[in-house]
Amino acid sequence: MDTNKLLSQYAAGERNFNGANLHQANLSDVDLRGVNLGGADLSGADLSRADLSGADLSRSNLTDADLNGANLKDANLSEVNFIGADLIKVNLEGTNLSRADLRSANLVQANLIGANLSEAELSGADLSGANLQRANLIGSNLNEAEFNGTNINGATITEQEITGSMMHVGLSHKWVTWAGGC
């Protein structure tokens, strides 16, 4: 789908672009609040500073996409492929990222307050300086993820997730809500 066609149809009130092919599209600084891009190919797309709050991008491909500074508050990002994506300073507050693939994604200073990251693949992701307050991390893979300066106050996490490199970030039991036994 052509970027201009998407934007003109969106401006005319269309919100359903399920399965659209927007590979390497330039959608920086656009307002696409509430759009349905479920199953879309947005690999390599530039979505920096875009407003996608309340959007449905479930099962979309955002491999190597640039989402720096984007607003994805309350979006449905379940089962999205974010491998290698740049999500620096992105707003993911209240977002559903269940079963999302965030391997090697850059989430430096991302706002993930109250995000659902259950069963997410976060191995090798950089979450330095991110805010994971009240985030759900149950069943997520955190192997070799970077948590330097990450706020995990009130995050829900089980003993299973606290293995490998995560043990080296100085976790304190008073910071997290335990959702299971030892």
Side-chain angles (χ1 to χ4, degrees), residues 12-174:
E14 179 65 37
R15 296 295 181 264
N16 189 358
F17 301 97
N18 197 21
N21 183 356
L22 294 161
H23 174 69
Q24 296 186 336
N26 183 356
L27 295 166
S28 62
D29 298 300
V30 298
D31 182 348
L32 292 171
R33 288 176 284 182
V35 71
N36 179 355
L37 286 165
D41 180 5
L42 291 154
S43 57
D46 183 357
L47 294 156
S48 56
R49 299 170 309 282
D51 189 349
L52 294 158
S53 53
D56 181 358
L57 288 126
S58 58
R59 297 171 310 287
S60 292
N61 181 7
L62 284 120
T63 303
D64 297 323
D66 180 356
L67 291 113
N68 291 325
N71 182 10
L72 290 153
K73 182 177 180 182
D74 298 322
N76 181 1
L77 303 172
S78 62
E79 301 180 43
V80 169
N81 180 350
F82 280 115
I83 295 174
D86 280 323
L87 297 145
I88 299 169
K89 294 185 179 179
V90 69
N91 183 8
L92 294 162
E93 184 175 349
T95 300
N96 179 7
L97 286 153
S98 62
R99 296 176 306 285
D101 193 340
L102 292 144
R103 284 179 286 173
S104 301
N106 188 347
L107 290 146
V108 171
Q109 296 181 356
N111 176 7
L112 290 149
I113 294 173
N116 178 6
L117 290 152
S118 62
E119 300 180 38
E121 177 61 61
L122 290 157
S123 57
D126 189 350
L127 290 143
S128 299
N131 191 343
L132 286 161
Q133 287 182 304
R134 300 183 315 279
N136 177 0
L137 293 160
I138 293 177
S140 58
N141 182 356
L142 304 172
N143 282 339
E144 299 181 27
E146 180 64 50
F147 285 86
N148 192 23
T150 302
N151 182 352
I152 59 169
N153 289 324
T156 304
I157 194 166
T158 64
E159 188 74 25
Q160 178 182 353
E161 287 86 36
I162 303 182
T163 59
S165 65
M166 191 161 172
M167 290 300 288
H168 303 290
V169 298
L171 275 179
S172 167
H173 290 21
K174 68 181 180 180

